[in-house]
Amino acid sequence: PVSPESDYAKGEIEKAINSLEDDFRIPFKMHIEGYKYKEIADKLGLKIGTVKSRIFFCRQKLMLMLKDYSR
């Protein structure tokens, strides 16, 4: 069963992701939906290194925004 706390955490995570700028949010969301770096790069017309660095940056930023949830 899903606890109310995990529902709250999921909502907070989604809110944090949605607060990111499009340049970062879009590749990150595609990545967590299962797209490969190359697919994201091709679809968005970016270099693969740019995609990797933006996803890495998103992870760092989200960890800071959501540090209250890490146990």
Side-chain angles (χ1 to χ4, degrees), residues 7-42:
D7 269 355
Y8 175 76
K10 187 174 186 277
E12 287 300 304
I13 292 166
E14 284 176 15
K15 200 188 314 176
I17 292 170
N18 289 332
S19 76
L20 299 169
E21 307 94 62
D22 286 355
D23 283 351
F24 295 96
R25 186 184 74 248
I26 294 167
F28 184 76
K29 281 187 133 174
M30 289 174 75
H31 178 64
I32 59 177
E33 287 168 7
Y35 286 92
K36 305 277 182 266
Y37 290 131
K38 173 131 180 50
E39 293 173 308
I40 298 168
D42 291 347

Side-chain angles (χ1 to χ4, degrees), residues 41-57:
D42 291 347
K43 273 194 188 282
L44 299 179
L46 298 169
K47 292 184 172 133
I48 197 162
T50 303
V51 170
K52 287 180 179 180
S53 66
R54 287 183 181 179
I55 290 169
F56 176 80
F57 175 80

